[in-house]
Amino acid sequence: MTLWSRLDLGSRLLLATGVCLLGIGLLNQYFSIARTTEEYRGDIDVAMNETLEALEQSLAEQVVVGAYAAIQQIMNVRVGRAFVDEMTWSDKRGGTLAAHHPVSPRHAPEWFRALVQLAPPLQSREISVGGTPYGTMTVRFSAANWDDRLWHGFARQSMMQLFELAVLFWVFFLASRGSLRQLRNVAAQTRRFVSGDYGVRATVSPGTPPDIRALLATLNHAADALEAMLLSLSEQRGATDNAAIVSETDLEFKITYVNDKFCEVSGYSRAELLGQDHRMLNCGCHPPSFFQDLGRTLAEAEVWHGEICDRRKDGSLFWTDTTITPILNETGKPVKY
């Protein structure tokens, strides 16, 4: 049995509402982050192009004269400023200069940076002066500032949305609590109804939703109809008990019910008859074929009618005009007589 199958209706509604609200919040966050990320990517591209052009102009004069110390100084100054993390200069003769900036602390967690993927790839530009190439400048840019700004916005918006979702969930809980209480009352009254308390009636409060009100009205109508039917059956049985002797037996002809007139006519008490075989009343006046025909008729789920002579407790005989009716189950097989 799954957890869902063990939850009542109220718990299912609240759980489904919570999941839906949470899903809506996550979708809002996803689209908000996606929109902001695209805006930041545009800002990064603009800032990156401006920085590359400025670096290219700064290095162009120095690479012509081969002023490596000046090139290194320019690189050292530029690294760490704006969002440059690393620079490399490679000239045509195989010389290489590099400058690195220590990684600054980041507020955005690694999983978030991997999700938004703002960090741009390595950028390389060949520096030429007067059509003569002198080398290649390679720059690694950092998106740490944009990552942190995006993370702070995400965290702030998440807290606001969690608060809004909690308020919506609480409002739904308060709005549905009355209806769920009515459903629980319906379930309790139905159990009492099934257990035989046919006088139970469901109460309908003014704030009950129309569909639950219709359900309660149907339940009350069914209770009224069943109570009336049971009263009619009781009256009919009372009339029958006053006019005829009545008994019920199982398939083995063990007596399970007798009315007062049966006890009066047979001379046995109800305690003496219940659980006994109906053959205890056999007077021996009928041939075996008589009861064989009776048994064959009942076995075919047909009603048997005839006259039977039985013996009272005091030994005297009495005749009855008898009808034996099989009570059938849903498959048409007898379950009692």
Side-chain angles (χ1 to χ4, degrees), residues 29 33 152-164:
Q29 280 287 65
I33 291 175
H152 288 313
F154 169 78
R156 183 171 57 254
Q157 189 174 359
S158 295
M159 293 300 297
M160 292 178 59
Q161 287 196 349
L162 284 176
F163 175 75
E164 293 171 356

Side-chain angles (χ1 to χ4, degrees), residues 67-115:
Y68 288 100
I71 295 173
Q72 184 69 62
Q73 183 178 3
I74 293 173
M75 293 171 60
N76 290 339
V77 171
R78 285 290 183 176
V79 169
R81 292 174 56 184
F83 61 115
V84 178
D85 272 355
E86 180 182 329
M87 281 188 65
T88 303
W89 163 255
S90 301
D91 62 16
K92 293 299 182 179
R93 293 172 294 179
T96 301
L97 298 176
H100 302 273
H101 180 263
V103 178
S104 57
R106 298 184 178 184
H107 299 288
E110 181 64 31
W111 66 265
F112 186 79
R113 298 200 302 271
L115 177 66

